[in-house]
Amino acid sequence: MTKKLGNLVLDRWVEGDGDGTALTSAVDGEAVATLTSDGLDFAGILDHARRVGGSNLRKLTFHERGEMLKALAQYLMEHKQELYTLSTQTGATRSDSWVDIDGGISTLFVFSSKSRREMPNDHVYLDGPPEQISRNGTFLGQHICTPKLGAAIHINAFNFPCWGMLEKLAPALIAGVPAIVKPASSTAYLTELMVRRIQASGILPDGALQLICGGVSDLFDHLNCQDTIAFTGSKGTAEFLQAHPRVVSDSVAFTAETDSLNSSILGPDALPGTPEFDLFIKEVTREMTAKAGQKCTAIRRIIAPAPIAGEVVEALARSLGEIRIGNPASTDVDMGALASQGQRAEVRDRVKALASQADIVYGGHDEFDVVDADIGKGAFFMPTLLHCENPLSSAAVHSVEAFGPVSTVLPYTSLDEAIELSRLGEGSLAGSIVTNDDGVARELVLGTAAYHGRMVVINRHCAAESTGHGSPLPHLVHGGPGRAGGGEEMGGIRGVKHYMQRTAIQGSPQTLTAIGHRWVRGADQLDPGVHPFRKTFEQLAIGDTVVTDSREVTLDDIQHFADFTGDTFYAHTDEEAAAKNPFFEGRVAHGYLIVSFAAGLFVDPEFGPVLANYGVDDLRFAQPVNYGDSLRVRLSCKQKTLRAGTGYGEVRWDAEITNQDEEIVARYDVLTMVATNEQWASVQ
Ligand code: NAP
């Protein structure tokens, strides 16, 4: 009997009512599973996410959520083999599955690591520094981000059943927002298997993840302003869902990643025989055939210099001719099948539409060899290349997306024309430029960037390490304007902020310090009782402050520092030359001398809990220091970030150096690692 996919609702696996829709293998047309979500209580699902999932996640700090993602990623790595086996049924080769499964898991790792490095070990994210909005600094502004108190609805496309879920799930969970995932029906069996493993791991708290295999019924009727929707799929569905009365009335945040007629431009310098020409042919071939062209980022439009467009067509036809199509489980196969027979029928129709304005120059027919498979049963499709003679006056090549191994060569006669052709896609997820002329790269990037979410420039210098045209990365934004949906996902911590509300908080420095757990200039300076360097991580209080004695800077000090370091820049060593400089009246102290003297003033030298200084941030010299000036330092404990399990925490100190007239000469943050109580006790 065919397996009926489960729905994970209220932390239990339940089956929908009825027989459900049959899902078949892309490779041999055999039944794989059935799916139905009929009869589920969608209002209850939302309520569970908000009430149970949200509150469980929000109890954790950003770092604890990051640790949770890391544990989950490690667990999935250990259980990925069965996912690979099942993935074959979607038509994916081993390398296609690697992008989907390992790519998805590595997205969890990246978000885990970025959240712990770039976010505080706290419940509130401070978005930028305080804003000075009053004359005396007693009333300031600070942008903060806190998790939305709703559910993240994730509606995914069929082409990446694992990555598609995880790239949305990772930022939502880091933000502290539970997810309700609805995979595309045709490949939902793979998503379901991954969710089963996630649930079996027991790593996510109750309510953090629910799965709906099938339609979403009246789910949207119950949304409110705290919920978010992240959608990947066709433009038509995005428009339909975005117009839902509840989405409109409650301003439900809606991110869409939709169709995209991505282009790749070959620079005029990249003639046949150059490494760039070969790189271009390789890149286009890979983009057309990876995942059988079912990638939202695949190259659909090949923009090539008119004088060599014929050679581009010939080289691509040769390269595509080497692609072995067939059973994706076979190691002799380069390209598997489309995800379903329905998908193949759709791609055929789209090729017909394209062929009304372009000539098919390779492929486009149903007679081709397949390896280890029955061409009559699987959804196999031959790579198909078209050539459009007059691309500026052919609308179809810029608007019809054949979601398969299909692309069209569009010749251009000038860079302006290449830019115009690229823009005719009316908004793309990804664009690429292959050139070894950085002047051309700049002109093309500035001419087309506004129409793209991500652009990659490839030449002989970076090709070996390039991640390629079509690979969205968790560090970089994925999304694009116009036809691409107008949304943005990932992009590191930017992606986390999509699930949070940014709020401008106004108040006194002390109030802002209490809210954000980051000391703000003007807030109370606490007397630490002892030098703060004698305190462990736990003993330190935000606001603990030391004000040092003063130290005079002499001409001998400046000369000595110049001789000792070799920094004999004229402003420190030549009285006459220094005075000609509009900023100085004569020889001045080196900035690094000032900072070094400051350290000499504020450190407490004896062995203590401060383990190391690992850098400074935001160092600014506000005033020159002349010899004869006296320096004094105020050092305040600004922010504490516990590094769980390491025996230390990071402590950021606000340092301000003033002169004898109490004018600020330098400001910066000193970054230190400070032992925890336990660590300190163990080393004494
Ligand atoms: P689709 O029909 O729009 O389906 C996308 C998702 O929306 C599926 O999960 C689908 O579920 C769901 N859906 C459809 N109607 C719905 C409704 N009324 N309410 C709630 N959910 C609904 O797209 P597709 O044709 O399967 O996917 C191919 C398209 O996706 C291509 O055009 C491609 O460009 C685009 N795509 C974009 C990206 C990107 O990152 N920008 C990535 C991959 C694909 P069912 O499957 O159950 O109908």
Side-chain angles (χ1 to χ4, degrees), residues 155-159 182-185 216 231-234 237 240-241 257-259 296 401 403 429 478:
I155 300 180
N156 295 324
F158 65 82
N159 54 347
K182 184 244 172 301
S185 292
V216 295
F231 170 84
T232 299
S234 62
T237 310
F240 172 76
L241 295 176
E257 308 296 332
T258 58
D259 323 344
C296 50
E401 183 200 39
F403 205 60
L429 295 166
H478 174 59

Side-chain angles (χ1 to χ4, degrees), residues 321-334:
E322 288 168 13
I323 298 296
R324 298 161 302 176
I325 307 160
N327 185 344
S330 164
T331 48
D332 291 331
V333 162
D334 304 304

